[in-house]
Amino acid sequence: LAEICGVNINRIALTENVTSGCILPLWGLPFSEGERLLISDCEHPGVVSACKEIARRKHLEIDILKVQGLRKGVDEEKETESSVLELLKDGLKAKTRLVVLSHILWNTGTIMPIKAVSETLLTHPNKPFLLVDAAQSFGQISIEEAASHSDIYGFTGHKWACGPEGLGGVVVSERVLEKSKPTLIGWKSLKTEESIYNNNPHPFHSDARRFEIATSCIPLLAGLRCSLELLENEGPQIQRHKKITAMSQKLWNYLQVENDIETVLESPPPAGLVSFSLKSGYSPTEIVKILGEKRIWIRVLEDPVWLRACLHITSTEDEVETLIAAIKDLIHKEKRES
């Protein structure tokens, strides 16, 4: 995991999933009453709910970084970066203490310029911490740069890494290790089990293990190790990313042909997420159910309400064409019936 993330092994803790990876270090950060959290409008409910609760308990204020409207794809990454930094400039306040931003936005599929955001935050008088949700990036795109420039970079072993559910990890920065305190505490947080009995004033690990709690499930560790090896056997990360985007862009191009389909991104996607909507009398939930009955699996996004397909290295052109044909059949059937 350290090699994939491009960081020293001491900066990584094992967790259950993305949410726990993000919020365990988050609760250990030093906040003062009146400070502010800047959260993007494309964050997952698990992280948003934790931020709202910590704001309530510690009397913090929340501001919103409105990145959902950025709809440029792979051909306009510099334009996206410029737009994000401009929004960040407007969103940061004097008392901003934390910025929360996903590496790949889970609803639009846009890649965020994490390194550039991190460098901007270092110039801010309050030097806000940067928390990055890596649910959609780990196992899909190169993450070394983003992980090494984040203060908290939480990821999961399932989803794009194709590993088992119930195992993930988090990369924490050196300053988080210096300034944070352990949150949920168990024997794995301790340097030694004896240290808690002999009144050691500093019983906890000085590295990221302070955010680990108790016994891990060994079969899950073996499963993730196997999955990561299988991914590596598919070729270098850059090669795998190219294969993913080739499939997602093929789907995106197909979707442009139909007048009754509107893609979220204005140009081909930079990764494997393809979000779109149908001008249809069927609700998005009904559409997912109809496709599911044909063993075609996409999902509904709740905010905003879009449909989303995921293309990975295992996806094939036949599968893309099957999805397109099923969507066309659905549209044409509705038109015939009306």
Side-chain angles (χ1 to χ4, degrees):
L1 294 177
E3 183 178 343
I4 291 170
C5 295
V7 299
N8 188 288
I9 194 171
N10 292 336
R11 289 178 55 186
I12 291 188
L14 296 175
T15 62
E16 293 178 326
N17 45 53
V18 175
T19 302
S20 59
C22 288
I23 66 177
L24 287 175
L26 168 65
W27 279 94
L29 295 180
F31 291 109
S32 300
E33 183 174 342
E35 290 186 322
R36 310 182 75 90
L37 312 179
L38 180 59
I39 307 173
S40 98
D41 57 355
C42 285
E43 299 310 306
H44 191 274
V47 176
V48 174
S49 59
C51 288
K52 286 190 173 183
E53 181 60 16
I54 201 170
R56 184 186 70 81
R57 295 191 191 185
K58 295 183 176 292
H59 306 288
L60 311 175
E61 299 294 329
I62 292 179
D63 301 302
I64 304 299
L65 183 67
K66 297 184 177 180
V67 297
Q68 192 180 106
L70 303 179
R71 305 293 174 81
K72 303 297 182 182
V74 68
D75 298 326
E76 294 92 6
E77 290 180 344
K78 285 295 182 183
E79 185 176 341
T80 297
E81 177 177 319
S82 177
S83 298
V84 170
L85 296 182
E86 192 63 31
L87 291 169
L88 185 65
K89 178 182 176 182
D90 294 337
L92 289 170
K93 311 297 182 186
K95 288 191 174 183
T96 301
R97 187 59 169 159
L98 174 75
V99 173
V100 181
L101 181 64
S102 293
H103 194 173
I104 297 181
L105 304 182
W106 75 305
N107 40 25
T108 69
T110 306
I111 298 177
M112 292 290 97
I114 300 301
K115 179 183 177 182
V117 169
S118 173
E119 291 172 344
T120 298
L121 296 184
L122 290 176
T123 66
H124 186 277
N126 211 25
K127 291 183 171 50
F129 292 99
L130 175 60
L131 185 157
V132 178
D133 182 328
Q136 304 299 335
S137 55
F138 182 80
Q140 180 178 189
I141 65 174
S142 296
I143 63 171
E144 294 96 331
E145 184 177 82
S148 61
H149 282 82
S150 304
D151 289 297
I152 300 172
Y153 191 86
F155 57 89
T156 181
H158 75 290
K159 295 185 185 290
W160 298 92
C162 300
E165 293 180 322
L167 178 62
V170 60
V171 178
V172 293
S173 67
E174 294 293 344
R175 69 169 180 156
V176 167
L177 293 176
E178 178 185 346
K179 296 179 180 297
S180 68
K181 303 293 182 183
T183 49
L184 293 181
I185 295 168
W187 68 264
K188 285 185 75 175
S189 313
L190 303 171
K191 293 178 183 176
T192 65
E193 293 185 33
E194 294 79 12
S195 64
I196 204 64
Y197 297 114
N198 59 20
N199 296 321
N200 185 334
H202 304 290
F204 303 110
H205 284 295
S206 58
D207 58 26
R209 288 176 294 173
R210 71 176 63 175
F211 298 113
E212 296 182 1
I213 304 167
T215 304
S216 299
C217 179
I218 299 302
L220 297 185
L221 299 175
L224 180 56
R225 182 191 297 273
C226 180
S227 295
L228 296 177
E229 289 174 350
L230 289 172
L231 280 177
E232 187 175 344
N233 290 341
E234 291 292 322
Q237 178 64 69
I238 294 177
Q239 180 180 322
R240 301 200 305 267
H241 184 203
K242 285 182 178 179
K243 184 175 180 180
I244 291 170
T245 53
M247 287 293 100
S248 65
Q249 289 172 18
K250 184 179 183 68
L251 174 58
W252 185 90
N253 288 329
Y254 269 128
L255 294 175
Q256 305 309 304
V257 178
E258 288 289 330
N259 294 328
D260 296 298
I261 302 175
E262 182 178 353
T263 55
V264 170
L265 293 183
E266 299 170 1
S267 55
L273 303 182
V274 182
S275 296
F276 60 97
S277 59
L278 292 184
K279 299 174 184 177
S280 169
Y282 294 108
S283 71
T285 300
E286 289 172 328
I287 292 170
V288 168
K289 183 178 179 180
I290 292 169
L291 294 177
E293 290 171 350
K294 298 181 179 181
R295 302 189 64 79
I296 302 170
W297 306 109
I298 65 174
R299 67 160 292 174
V300 177
L301 299 174
E302 291 79 16
D303 182 27
V305 179
W306 289 326
L307 298 167
R308 191 191 72 187
C310 294
L311 290 301
H312 204 0
I313 56 171
T314 54
S315 302
T316 66
E317 292 193 14
D318 285 345
E319 289 175 335
V320 172
E321 291 169 1
T322 299
L323 172 58
I324 291 297
I327 292 175
K328 287 181 178 179
D329 286 346
L330 190 151
I331 293 172
H332 296 156
K333 177 182 178 182
E334 184 181 21
K335 287 181 177 179
R336 290 193 300 269
E337 291 174 350
S338 62

